[in-house]
């Protein structure tokens, strides 16, 4: 399982860092205020208010149908709220996309079957232009895919495909990263390794991340705050600050503190599930 | 190979080397079997040469009348290719309009149903009455026959673009043109090639049949003329030429397909 270890070995100077195109003085925030969303009479979100701070890693967790994906899609400008609004740095999500500030990755990798890993990543730059961008070459190598630049998606494992997918979401160096269950389709061990890998990748950057997952452990090890949602309609049940020092690694998964935090999140999740029924 | 949950008409390329070998062997066996079966049929039925000419007699016609056959073949090829080019242009233009203007699809649907289902032999007769002995009715017949598979496949292919990819493109603020060239068209390409497999061969059959109804040139005409002269040997020769043409068209499409999608069979190194 070379793919589990490689990415953590080196941190190149060209790594993922906030580049000059995102000046530090502007404090980036994503603000949900009183967001409602219904799909044909079905209420998906009710009065969701949340402020995501600059550089924060936020996880949305909750029973299925709680609207966590909808929240993410609204933040990405892919859905319009039925009521309330979402502001990214005081602007609409669509404008944030226009300024190439947003990177998204979904559970199913958004890769073109007829492009190699490298060309799938550079497709992002073909669209956004190369200003302030990272090198697709170096990024893939950094992600432990050095030997797989010229492989097609069908020749890669699920974990590798997802890393190419996240590289494609990161390569234009957006300030915001929106991840919708990126590891949901992977087996348990790969998933753990990928979670650890993502944590390491993001620890070297100051990106603001909204992450959707079903896994309590994944949420706990990666997040600054875990937002627990309840379903029907989707609303915020509780927000939990994860009190674990960084950097966190796989070793922390057996830590007592970690297990205590996991228990906190899980308890809250159970309460949210009860609230949903 | 294909995306999950999609009825993709992805290319059926034999990955396995031994399978490829046995496929080639099967072709070889067929090519060798045809003259053998032919001679056997003649022996069993005892038909005289003017009803069922032997292979060597047909081969002789193919050689001695090669100039006549070539000139008529050329006419058929020109009609088939012209019609096919027109069919492609119209079908692709319509498919693209369906993608961006849904009302166009509703408007066009009854017409495509008519074009697909009205017996084209009757339409051919009508066209020949109106347009007479010109290349035009033949070209129109070819268009009518080949147009629909291309339209149906390209329309479906353009709509088969992965929604996840379209979402990604949207968050990157890509233009419609970029979405089309980078996502929509590459997604439609396998469908488009699959349409050629059916339609390109169909263009030659369409041209021959149209000539067969009424013409003064082309392989279809040559069949009618040879029949009226009881030249079974020449009918057989034309059959072989027309078949070779249609099979050649099919193999050409297959070769292009194999080239375009060669990345699908690339092994992990």
């Amino acid at each position: 399982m070379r793919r589990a270890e490689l990415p953590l070995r080196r941190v190149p100077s060209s790594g993922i860092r906030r580049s000059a195109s995102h000046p530090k003085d502007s404090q980036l925030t994503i603000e949900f205020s009183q967001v409602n969303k219904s799909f044909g009479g079905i209420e998906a979100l009710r009065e969701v208010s949340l402020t995501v701070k600059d550089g924060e890693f936020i996880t949305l967790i909750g029973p299925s149908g709680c609207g966590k994906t909808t929240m993410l899609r609204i933040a990405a400008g892919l859905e319009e709220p039925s009521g309330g609004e979402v502001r990214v740095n005081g602007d609409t999500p669509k404008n944030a996309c226009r300024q190439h500030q947003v990177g998204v990755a979904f559970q199913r990798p958004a890769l073109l079957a007829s492009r190699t890993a490298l060309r799938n990543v550079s497709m992002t730059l073909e669209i956004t232009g190369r200003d302030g961008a990272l090198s697709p070459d170096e990024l893939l190598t950094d992600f432990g895919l050095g030997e797989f630049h010229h492989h097609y998606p069908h020749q890669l494992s699920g974990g590798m495909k997802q890393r190419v997918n996240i590289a494609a979401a990161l390569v234009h160096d957006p300030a915001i990263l929106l991840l919708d269950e990126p590891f949901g389709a992977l087996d348990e061990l790969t998933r753990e390794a990928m979670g650890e890998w993502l944590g390491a990748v993001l620890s070297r950057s100051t990106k603001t991340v909204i992450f959707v997952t079903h896994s309590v452990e994944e949420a706990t090890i990666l997040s600054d705050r875990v937002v627990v949602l309840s379903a029907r309609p989707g609303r915020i049940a509780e927000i939990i600050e994860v009190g674990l020092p960084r950097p966190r690694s796989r070793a922390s998964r057996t830590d007592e503190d970690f297990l205590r935090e996991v228990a906190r999140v899980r308890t809250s999740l159970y309460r949210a599930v009860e609230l949903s029924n | 190979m294909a995306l999950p949950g999609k009825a993709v008409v992805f290319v059926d390329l034999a990955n396995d080397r031994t399978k490829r070998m046995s496929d080639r062997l099967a072709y070889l066996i067929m090519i060798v079997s045809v003259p053998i079966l032919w001679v056997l049929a003649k022996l069993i039925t005892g038909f005289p040469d003017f009803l069922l000419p032997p292979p060597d007699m047909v081969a002789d016609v193919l050689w001695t009348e090669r100039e006549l056959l070539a000139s008529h073949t050329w006419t058929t090829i020109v009609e088939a290719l012209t019609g096919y080019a027109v069919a492609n242009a119209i079908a692709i233009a319509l498919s693209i309009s369906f993608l961006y203007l849904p009302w166009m699809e509703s408007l066009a649907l009854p017409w495509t149903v008519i074009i697909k289902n009205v017996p084209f032999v009757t339409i051919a007769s009508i066209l020949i009455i109106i347009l007479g002995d010109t290349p035009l009715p033949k070209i129109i017949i070819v268009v009518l026959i080949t147009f629909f598979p291309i339209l149906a496949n390209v329309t479906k292919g353009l709509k088969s673009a992965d929604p996840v990819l379209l979402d990604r493109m949207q968050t990157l603020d890509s233009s419609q043109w970029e979405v089309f060239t980078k996502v929509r068209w590459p997604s439609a390409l396998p469908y488009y090639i699959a349409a050629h497999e059916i339609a390109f061969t169909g263009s030659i059959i369409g041209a021959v049949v149209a000539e067969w109804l009424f013409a003064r040139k082309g392989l279809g005409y040559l069949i009618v003329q040879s029949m009226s002269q009881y030249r079974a040997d020449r009918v057989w020769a034309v059959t072989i030429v027309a078949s070779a043409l249609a099979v050649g068209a099919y193999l050409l499409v297959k070769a292009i397909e194999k080239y375009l999608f060669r990345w699908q069979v690339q092994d992990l190194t």
Side-chain angles (χ1 to χ4, degrees):
Chain A
M1 286 279 283
R2 157 180 52 196
R3 67 178 113 114
E5 301 135 24
L6 250 180
L8 305 177
R9 274 215 307 256
R10 51 188 281 271
V11 182
S13 55
S14 68
I16 317 157
R17 256 166 243 253
R18 181 78 58 86
S19 69
S21 59
H22 309 295
K24 257 278 154 207
D25 49 282
S26 66
Q27 283 284 308
L28 185 137
T29 55
I30 306 170
E31 211 165 348
F32 293 76
S33 30
Q34 301 286 312
V35 170
N36 291 306
K37 177 73 186 175
S38 15
F39 295 99
I42 294 161
E43 210 176 358
L45 289 174
R46 182 188 288 176
E47 288 176 7
V48 170
S49 294
L50 174 71
T51 303
V52 184
K53 287 173 277 189
D54 190 26
E56 196 176 24
F57 194 116
I58 287 266
T59 295
L60 307 179
I61 198 167
S64 51
C66 71
K68 45 194 190 300
T69 294
T70 307
M71 263 181 88
L72 197 86
R73 290 180 64 84
I74 290 174
L78 293 170
E79 305 275 357
E80 287 292 329
S82 315
E85 59 171 14
V86 175
R87 292 267 151 190
V88 178
N89 259 358
D91 212 339
T92 60
K94 280 219 162 72
N95 276 335
C97 288
R98 231 158 260 152
Q99 293 152 17
H100 303 137
Q101 293 216 45
V102 181
V104 292
F106 305 98
Q107 178 172 351
R108 199 148 52 80
L111 302 178
L112 212 60
S114 54
R115 279 180 177 241
T116 61
L118 188 65
R119 291 193 60 234
N120 261 298
V121 175
S122 54
M123 186 162 94
T124 300
L125 299 184
E126 289 166 25
I127 297 160
T128 60
R130 296 191 169 257
D131 263 2
L134 311 169
S135 142
D137 237 307
E138 286 174 31
L139 194 58
L140 278 180
T141 307
D142 183 32
F143 281 13
L145 294 166
E147 299 152 52
F148 300 95
H149 287 193
H150 303 294
H151 282 63
Y152 290 91
H154 74 276
Q155 300 167 322
L156 301 174
S157 71
M160 286 172 165
K161 262 186 262 191
Q162 197 50 261
R163 269 185 280 161
V164 176
N165 191 35
I166 292 174
L170 277 174
V171 69
H172 58 305
D173 203 18
I176 300 163
L177 196 56
L178 304 172
L179 304 170
D180 188 3
E181 287 191 64
F183 313 138
L186 305 177
D187 65 88
E188 187 63 29
L189 276 177
T190 312
R191 186 172 186 153
E192 272 184 25
M194 289 289 289
E196 190 181 2
W197 165 81
L198 183 69
V201 161
L202 292 172
S203 70
R204 316 194 295 257
S205 80
T206 48
K207 292 195 189 307
T208 306
V209 184
I210 304 182
F211 184 81
V212 169
T213 185
H214 275 119
S215 158
V216 174
E217 281 81 8
E218 207 168 82
T220 311
I221 204 152
L222 287 170
S223 315
D224 298 314
R225 284 191 294 162
V226 178
V227 176
V228 182
L229 296 156
S230 62
R232 282 173 292 269
R235 55 202 184 280
I236 294 178
E238 196 178 349
I239 299 176
I240 299 168
E241 299 250 4
V242 180
L244 291 174
R246 288 185 188 274
R248 305 168 190 164
S249 68
R250 190 185 297 194
S252 359
R253 280 179 185 266
T254 49
D255 221 58
E256 242 176 70
D257 292 341
F258 173 72
L259 295 175
R260 196 192 59 238
E261 293 296 307
V262 167
R264 265 180 76 205
V265 175
R266 200 178 290 281
T267 312
S268 170
L269 186 61
Y270 289 157
R271 270 203 300 271
V273 172
E274 256 166 54
L275 217 67
S276 312
N277 295 328
Chain B
M1 168 185 298
L3 299 165
K6 288 236 164 68
V8 178
V9 274
F10 255 98
V11 195
D12 174 32
L13 297 176
N15 217 342
D16 188 2
R17 182 158 290 162
T18 54
K19 182 165 186 309
R20 237 170 14 218
M21 287 289 283
S22 65
D23 282 356
R24 279 195 191 146
L25 195 66
Y27 271 101
L28 194 71
I29 290 170
M30 186 208 71
I31 289 166
V32 175
S33 302
V34 168
I36 295 173
L37 290 171
W38 192 338
V39 171
L40 273 178
K42 221 174 137 46
L43 282 175
I44 292 164
T45 59
F47 284 141
D49 285 358
F50 70 92
L51 290 181
L52 181 55
D56 58 298
M57 195 171 157
V58 175
D60 190 52
V61 174
L62 280 172
W63 178 249
T64 52
E65 300 189 32
R66 62 186 181 279
E67 274 173 28
L68 178 84
L69 285 166
S71 84
H72 287 283
T73 304
W74 179 246
T75 306
T76 303
I77 289 177
V78 169
E79 287 163 1
L81 287 184
T82 311
Y84 197 52
V86 173
N88 271 274
I90 300 175
I92 291 174
L94 269 179
S95 307
I96 294 171
S97 79
F98 290 175
L99 186 63
Y100 296 107
L101 308 167
W103 56 267
M104 274 289 286
E105 191 166 6
S106 319
L107 197 69
L109 188 68
W111 294 91
T112 57
V113 168
I114 292 275
I115 289 168
K116 184 170 170 265
N117 293 311
V118 167
F120 75 91
V121 181
T122 61
I123 298 196
S125 310
I126 294 169
L127 287 171
I128 287 164
I129 290 172
I130 299 170
L131 298 165
D133 179 28
T134 57
L136 211 53
K138 292 114 192 169
I139 291 169
I140 294 174
I141 294 301
V142 172
V143 172
L144 291 179
I145 289 178
T146 59
F147 162 82
F148 192 78
I150 304 170
L151 177 74
N153 268 33
V154 176
T155 301
K156 194 171 173 208
L158 288 174
K159 287 178 182 170
S160 78
D162 192 342
V164 174
L165 258 170
L166 294 175
D167 281 345
R168 175 182 160 199
M169 297 295 281
Q170 197 184 325
T171 59
L172 294 174
D173 191 40
S174 58
S175 64
Q176 286 288 345
W177 173 248
E178 282 169 326
V179 173
F180 185 84
T181 54
K182 291 187 200 300
V183 177
R184 295 270 186 198
W185 185 251
S187 310
L189 197 58
Y191 291 82
Y192 183 43
I193 299 293
H196 283 306
E197 247 177 65
I198 310 163
F200 196 26
T201 307
S203 73
I204 288 161
I205 296 167
V208 170
V209 172
E211 289 161 356
W212 185 78
L213 282 168
F214 187 71
R216 285 177 200 286
K217 201 113 186 52
L219 290 175
Y221 159 76
L222 202 56
I223 292 175
V224 176
Q225 196 215 34
S226 308
M227 274 171 70
S228 66
Q229 297 169 352
Y230 285 97
R231 287 283 312 275
D233 53 346
R234 206 204 263 153
V235 173
W236 278 82
V238 174
T239 305
I240 288 173
V241 172
S243 306
L245 215 55
V247 171
Y250 176 79
L251 292 179
L252 179 67
V253 173
K254 274 291 182 193
I256 292 172
E257 185 178 57
K258 205 165 179 176
Y259 174 75
L260 282 177
F261 300 109
R262 60 197 181 284
W263 53 269
Q264 281 188 4
V265 290
Q266 211 175 63
D267 293 323
L268 255 179
T269 42

